[in-house]
Amino acid sequence: MNPAAALHLTADRRRSTGESHQALHPLLSGPGQGLSIPAARHAEQARLEAAVFQRVCAMGGLSSHPLGIVRVRPQEDVLTL
């Protein structure tokens, strides 16, 4: 896959999570398939992620991200802010 195409396929997730292209590149599965943010595996995790998201939205701050988030590392079984 050419570098420009790979960069395009990770763009949405990079913009949403702050993850680097270098960290996401190995996760690309095939040509033309972008990366989605993994969904929570359990209802408890989904509720926790929603609560964290709402709390972070209320914080604001000096971050360049509009929600005050510096970096998010989503995985199927954990969300790290």
Side-chain angles (χ1 to χ4, degrees):
M1 176 180 316
N2 77 47
L7 199 61
H8 175 72
L9 292 174
T10 63
D12 286 340
R13 183 157 162 175
R14 285 185 290 115
R15 189 172 25 260
S16 298
T17 66
E19 293 172 282
S20 71
H21 174 69
Q22 291 78 8
L24 295 175
H25 188 269
L27 302 177
L28 291 172
S29 59
Q33 296 181 3
L35 292 175
S36 63
I37 297 173
R41 294 169 72 187
H42 305 285
E44 296 84 9
Q45 182 187 354
R47 284 193 293 272
L48 174 62
E49 289 180 10
V52 168
F53 180 74
Q54 290 175 337
R55 187 75 171 166
V56 170
C57 288
M59 288 178 6
L62 301 175
S63 170
S64 60
H65 190 283
L67 301 177
I69 299 170
V70 176
R71 176 168 293 138
V72 178
R73 298 201 63 95
Q75 297 171 340
E76 286 185 8
D77 57 349
V78 69
L79 174 68
T80 306
L81 297 177

